[in-house]
Amino acid sequence: MVGDSTYVLRDDDFAGRGWPAGTVLHVEPASRAGRGDLVLVSEGGVIRVGCFGVDRGRPALLTDHGATWLSERARVVAVATVVQAPLAV
């Protein structure tokens, strides 16, 4: 996390959407997400980032690399409102 309302992507999980590593997500605290929302989820003390969705009937985070199923312990903590791609140097 950069601050209370931003998060920097550390890898290229969303490069296919034009959001490479270094992209800044501006987020708002939330406890619920809609399908397709880009969210931060806390699961077992680990923050995961992905597009909220369903995979084979189970709640999941979707990235360019596939789906990660969420356990019952997973909690949505923030939803991205603005995505700021890094500037080319």
Side-chain angles (χ1 to χ4, degrees):
M1 299 287 279
V2 172
D4 290 344
S5 61
T6 58
Y7 183 86
V8 178
L9 295 178
R10 296 182 185 152
D11 49 38
D12 288 327
D13 285 349
F14 300 98
R17 297 172 189 240
W19 306 331
T23 297
V24 178
L25 305 179
H26 295 270
V27 298
E28 289 186 4
S31 59
R32 297 181 60 97
R35 226 181 237 187
D37 285 347
L38 185 59
V39 297
L40 276 65
V41 172
S42 176
E43 186 172 30
V46 175
I47 297 292
R48 299 178 189 271
V49 180
C51 289
F52 188 75
V54 176
D55 181 58
R56 298 182 182 152
R58 295 188 60 165
L61 291 181
L62 309 172
T63 69
D64 289 354
H65 303 292
T68 301
W69 289 355
L70 297 172
S71 72
E72 292 180 11
R73 302 183 325 225
R75 299 289 176 250
V76 173
V77 294
V79 175
T81 56
V82 176
V83 178
Q84 178 183 347
L87 298 174
V89 181

